[in-house]
Amino acid sequence: MSTRTSPGPARTALAFSLITVAALGLTACAGGEPATAPAGAPGAAKGALPTEDVVAGVKKNEAAAKLLPADVRQRGSFAVAASVGTPPSSAYLPDGRTVVGVDADFTAAVAKALGLEAKREAVGFEAILPALGSGKYDVGTGNFGVTEERRKTIDFVTYVNDGQGFAARADSPLKEITDLTQLCGLRVAVDAGTTFERTLEKNKGRCAEAGKKPYGIDVYNQTGAVWMALQQGRSDLVMSTINGLRYAVTQQKGMKFLNEYRRLDVGFAFKKGTPLAPAFEAAVNGLKADGTYDRILRKWGVTGSGIERSQISPPELPAPKK
């Protein structure tokens, strides 16, 4: 799902602006706290996104709140580094400031359950995990998949299950990718610093082993540029999140979702050894018990991403062998 410096609000807004252009056919996201993008900035979603507030009724979960460290209870807030990318995970509303999506709703719901204020700042995806170690932020969101590599330095509290998939232009002869050797000789567009980039890099040698031409990996720092490369024929496929791809291909002409390649648990990210994880885990499981969890998934059309229960840093789900 690199350690470049955060691109800042303007570039975060620009990234979503680009994906908006691509995902909505090259024609030109309930309730969320304001991000740091300036009012009127580009990046507003032009497609209709749900805006009903499904977390307003969340009550404080006293048992979960008791698990909070004393210093967090005293200050009454936690700092969130949030990557604003594409629906349904995260997006800007037309005001260019308000962030909505699955990540935003779960962040808001957990904050209410713990009796805290979530102070969110829009941060570039690649900068978030390194920034957690510095202590600047308490938690990061950005559809972060739980992998063994990340578990070495990051703690997770899971809240959904998403994963990796592929999309292509409608005229592509490809129907599904079940073996990465099907990519040999093709070019695949991905976002920088993601599990998609790492999966492709890790398996690059499979083509040579099969006596085939290697596949190319087109890495972009802006999500919109990934889709532009596909639209313009510079890349043959996009590898990205399952839910994001399913949404994007419904919003633009000439694109098709190929298939899910693998599933990954997705969670709030924390620095290793965080004392916050037990409270967040209890809060998410409380949301499942009171019905808020299912309301969030239904709102964003991702009921297939539900998990049985939240866990702290569970093992990475097995990857396909092909």
Side-chain angles (χ1 to χ4, degrees), residues 146-148 151 158 262 264-265 311-318:
V146 180
T147 67
E148 293 306 313
R151 290 204 314 152
T158 58
R262 69 170 299 192
L264 286 171
D265 287 324
Q311 299 180 74
I312 298 173
S313 299
E316 177 181 351
L317 296 178

Side-chain angles (χ1 to χ4, degrees), residues 175-236:
K175 297 186 183 301
E176 63 176 358
I177 303 297
T178 57
D179 189 321
L180 293 181
T181 58
Q182 292 173 261
L183 305 177
C184 299
L186 302 178
R187 301 205 65 83
V188 188
V190 297
D191 284 291
T194 59
T195 61
F196 321 115
E197 180 185 4
R198 285 192 287 275
T199 294
L200 294 176
E201 288 287 356
K202 180 180 178 180
N203 293 281
K204 216 170 182 179
R206 292 190 183 186
C207 292
E209 293 171 359
K212 298 181 179 182
K213 183 179 178 181
Y215 52 72
I217 309 172
D218 299 329
V219 182
Y220 295 93
N221 290 330
Q222 296 175 337
T223 301
V226 171
W227 287 94
M228 288 291 189
L230 184 62
Q231 286 275 13
Q232 296 171 1
R234 289 179 283 114
S235 298
D236 301 291

Side-chain angles (χ1 to χ4, degrees), residues 207-291:
C207 292
E209 293 171 359
K212 298 181 179 182
K213 183 179 178 181
Y215 52 72
I217 309 172
D218 299 329
V219 182
Y220 295 93
N221 290 330
Q222 296 175 337
T223 301
V226 171
W227 287 94
M228 288 291 189
L230 184 62
Q231 286 275 13
Q232 296 171 1
R234 289 179 283 114
S235 298
D236 301 291
L237 303 98
V238 165
M239 187 179 189
S240 190
T241 64
I242 295 166
N243 291 336
L245 291 174
R246 288 188 185 279
Y247 177 87
V249 299
T250 66
Q251 301 299 307
Q252 58 181 317
K253 296 179 180 179
M255 294 290 153
K256 64 180 180 181
F257 177 74
L258 295 182
N259 62 290
E260 298 182 7
Y261 176 67
R262 69 170 299 192
R263 283 274 174 174
L264 286 171
D265 287 324
V266 171
F268 294 105
F270 306 83
K271 68 178 180 180
K272 194 72 175 175
T274 178
L276 286 171
F280 271 66
E281 178 190 35
V284 175
N285 285 323
L287 297 174
K288 287 189 65 68
D290 70 18

Side-chain angles (χ1 to χ4, degrees), residues 108-153:
V110 166
K112 288 177 70 69
L114 295 177
L116 301 174
E117 176 188 0
K119 295 185 176 181
R120 183 171 55 204
E121 180 180 341
V123 179
F125 180 87
E126 287 183 88
I128 292 178
L129 298 187
L132 293 175
S134 73
K136 182 177 181 181
Y137 304 102
D138 298 301
V139 59
T141 62
N143 205 19
F144 287 110
V146 180
T147 67
E148 293 306 313
E149 179 183 357
R150 286 175 172 169
R151 290 204 314 152
K152 294 175 184 177
T153 57

